[in-house]
Amino acid sequence: MLPRANANANAHEPTPRPCRVPVAAAAALLIASSYLALTYLAAAAPLAALIGHGAAPASRDSRSSCAGFYRGGSSGRRAVSASVEEFGAVGDGVTSNTAAFRRAVAVLDARAAGRGARLEVPPGRWVTGSFNLTSRFTLFLHHGAILLGSQDPEEWPLIAPLPSYGRGRERLGPRHISLIHGEGLNDVVITGDNGTIDGQGRIWWDLWWNRTLNHTRGHLIELVNSTNIMISNITLRNSPFWTVHPVYCRNVVIRNLTVLAPLNAPNTDGIDPDSSSEVCIEDCYIESGDDLVAIKSGWDQYGISVGKPSSNIIIQRVSGTTPTCSGVGLGSEMSGGISNVIVRDLHIWNSAQAVRIKSDVGRGGYITNITIENISMEKVKVPIRFSRGADDHSDDRYDRSALPRISDVRIRNVVGVDLQRAPILEAVHGAVYEGICFRNVSLRVIRRQDRWQCESVYGEAHDVFPAPCEEFRRNGSSWCGHS
């Protein structure tokens, strides 16, 4: 048992560590890296070049960081600190500690009087239902600490749907709150010495599979309308639904995470920034039953009405596998718009797609100024896909004339081996897709279909193998060849 923290403790957060990658994945990455070295161009500049601030300069090994997006005034230092044990919690893996966690947050917040508080979770197995964080607050999980989501649905209370969705994402009406939640906060840190938050989501997945789910499942971590968020150095497992969901947030850093769910667990997205800006996602390993990372901004007429875009986002050095979905997805809920995104140094294997842009009739919104570069993949069904939705709408009142606009998408320095198909690029009927650029793309050992499939998507392609579809062979301009 750890000694109880001094009430005036000012301990710093630990230095971030690289994520753990399984041996097989590491071997695959080494093989891919050797192959990539033959074809890759120099990595792009940090997002600072795009938005003018926020990213740290590249180090000597070219591993730039965007962690500067987090601007918490405390830099991780808090005025008061205590262990959850001081509030009656028992780490035996059986006792419910919901009341203890809720009481701990409230008492520490009062003690801190605005100066910042830190709640420590020592080694043990700590069962809890949902609890809310406060501003200027750090939740710290020590090595060997496992926070377990309660198996009692009553300990995941119902809350109102998000305005940009108009209803629960899966079911009409309210939705279950996330295990760790917060709204209207500033300066929140969730970190540790590789402690674990395990949502024990199987009971929720069973409800979904059995079609007995009454309300939309809760996330593992959701922060709403908040600023200066840092989530780092922990393992997240078995979320009931999307794992990490910052929505209507600014200055968000999510780094050095391991996110794990069974590969058949439904809708267990890894990290989903939603109607959020200045977001940094870096150095994460994810195994998921859905997209590893998905950028969203609201659903149909509700997302259009709220009008909160996702913008100024970096996703870098993310690796993982998802057999049914994408390494990185943009959409399909993108009705508030998505812009100014860099996805780079992505490694995906045994997955349905590496990168996917998805939308639908009724979405409206836009996806623009997107750079996707330095991507490696093995055993992926479709390396790059632009796809239409599957008639997935919030209700039947969506505007059938609301079409998405997709423009200025640059995809470059891509290598794939042992693939099933060439890229599939299909537009939403009637929507405009323009300014799509492919450069330096090498897709080898395609087992089923080596011809690109394109429908109403136009652009340019340079140094691409296999040869692109006719819509990308008009290479008269220089914006793509030198972009």
Side-chain angles (χ1 to χ4, degrees):
M1 182 179 298
L2 292 176
R4 292 182 179 178
N6 186 287
N8 294 316
N10 246 343
H12 291 278
E13 312 303 345
T15 301
R17 300 178 302 149
C19 294
R20 295 176 288 109
V21 179
V23 172
L29 182 58
L30 179 61
I31 293 170
S33 298
S34 300
Y35 187 56
L36 291 171
L38 301 176
T39 58
Y40 269 16
L41 302 179
L47 189 60
L50 178 63
I51 64 172
H53 59 77
S59 62
R60 291 181 181 177
D61 67 354
S62 297
R63 289 176 64 87
S64 61
S65 174
C66 47
F69 282 173
Y70 167 75
R71 296 171 185 167
S74 65
S75 299
R77 299 173 66 88
R78 306 301 188 192
V80 298
S81 180
S83 168
V84 70
E85 291 176 300
E86 295 184 29
F87 302 91
V90 179
D92 60 3
V94 177
T95 303
S96 174
N97 297 295
T98 306
F101 273 95
R102 292 175 181 174
R103 184 167 57 252
V105 173
V107 170
L108 286 175
D109 184 52
R111 285 182 192 170
R115 297 171 298 150
R118 168 168 156 146
L119 177 61
E120 306 212 10
V121 183
R125 296 172 61 82
W126 310 88
V127 178
T128 182
S130 171
F131 61 95
N132 285 275
L133 302 182
T134 63
S135 292
R136 294 169 293 281
F137 194 91
T138 295
L139 177 66
F140 188 96
L141 282 75
H142 286 272
H143 185 73
I146 303 175
L147 201 158
L148 296 167
S150 171
Q151 299 286 278
D152 180 1
E154 295 296 321
E155 292 204 285
W156 301 66
L158 295 177
I159 58 173
L162 292 165
S164 56
Y165 285 77
R167 46 162 283 188
R169 183 59 183 83
E170 300 178 291
R171 295 288 183 266
L172 294 173
R175 62 201 181 101
H176 287 281
I177 197 171
S178 59
L179 184 64
I180 298 175
H181 195 79
E183 185 164 358
L185 307 182
N186 178 53
D187 190 7
V188 174
V189 177
I190 302 171
T191 190
D193 184 16
N194 200 34
T196 297
I197 302 173
D198 187 336
Q200 300 198 105
R202 181 59 189 248
I203 63 166
W204 300 98
W205 309 333
D206 285 343
L207 291 172
W208 171 256
W209 286 323
N210 297 334
R211 300 186 178 184
T212 54
L213 184 68
N214 293 322
H215 301 284
T216 297
R217 293 168 281 165
H219 309 293
L220 201 61
I221 299 173
E222 181 181 69
L223 295 168
V224 183
N225 194 29
S226 298
T227 59
N228 291 312
I229 297 162
M230 172 72 78
I231 304 173
S232 67
N233 299 329
I234 54 177
T235 295
L236 305 175
R237 304 179 65 98
N238 301 320
S239 178
F241 194 42
W242 306 341
T243 305
V244 181
H245 187 222
V247 57
Y248 318 143
C249 290
R250 290 186 295 107
N251 299 106
V252 179
V253 174
I254 301 169
R255 64 195 311 250
N256 298 320
L257 297 188
T258 301
V259 182
L260 305 172
L263 298 180
N264 67 338
N267 311 111
T268 49
D269 298 34
I271 303 168
D272 287 5
D274 196 341
S275 292
S276 294
S277 62
E278 285 71 58
V279 178
C280 167
I281 300 168
E282 64 182 15
D283 300 310
C284 294
Y285 176 79
I286 306 174
E287 293 181 4
S288 168
D290 210 295
D291 294 334
L292 306 188
V293 178
I295 303 175
K296 303 174 182 291
S297 66
W299 198 12
D300 288 352
Q301 71 271 28
Y302 302 105
I304 294 171
S305 177
V306 169
K308 287 184 177 291
S310 280
S311 63
N312 300 338
I313 296 174
I314 292 179
I315 301 164
Q316 60 184 3
R317 299 186 299 274
V318 170
S319 60
T321 181
T322 170
T324 58
C325 291
S326 309
V328 171
L330 287 82
S332 71
E333 308 93 323
M334 41 67 67
S335 300
I338 297 172
S339 67
N340 297 358
V341 176
I342 289 178
V343 179
R344 62 186 177 190
D345 302 321
L346 180 71
H347 179 220
I348 303 299
W349 61 92
N350 293 338
S351 298
Q353 293 99 200
V355 175
R356 185 179 182 188
I357 293 177
K358 44 187 175 175
S359 188
D360 205 345
V361 171
R363 291 291 193 267
Y366 54 84
I367 298 175
T368 188
N369 199 16
I370 311 298
T371 297
I372 298 166
E373 61 186 359
N374 299 357
I375 312 301
S376 64
M377 64 188 86
E378 307 92 41
K379 296 184 179 179
V380 170
K381 294 176 183 177
V382 182
I384 298 163
R385 186 165 195 170
F386 294 5
S387 62
R388 299 183 279 264
D391 197 27
D392 177 26
H393 300 287
S394 53
D395 54 46
D396 60 7
R397 296 189 296 275
Y398 69 93
D399 181 358
R400 288 162 177 78
S401 68
L403 300 175
R405 292 172 287 125
I406 315 298
S407 63
D408 298 326
V409 178
R410 296 165 294 279
I411 300 173
R412 59 199 182 196
N413 307 340
V414 178
V415 171
V417 295
D418 201 4
L419 311 173
Q420 290 295 313
R421 300 180 63 104
I424 298 176
L425 311 176
E426 297 174 323
V428 173
H429 293 301
V432 174
Y433 288 63
E434 60 185 2
I436 314 299
C437 170
F438 288 88
R439 182 163 62 87
N440 195 24
V441 175
S442 180
L443 306 172
R444 304 281 175 170
V445 193
I446 298 177
R447 300 184 179 278
R448 289 180 53 196
Q449 175 58 266
D450 63 359
R451 297 185 62 182
W452 291 45
Q453 180 178 330
C454 303
E455 186 178 326
S456 301
V457 179
Y458 300 92
E460 294 187 19
H462 299 262
D463 300 318
V464 170
F465 180 87
C469 47
E470 185 65 31
E471 291 85 342
F472 285 83
R473 295 181 187 178
R474 303 180 183 90
N475 297 333
S477 69
S478 61
W479 67 270
C480 175
H482 298 92
S483 63

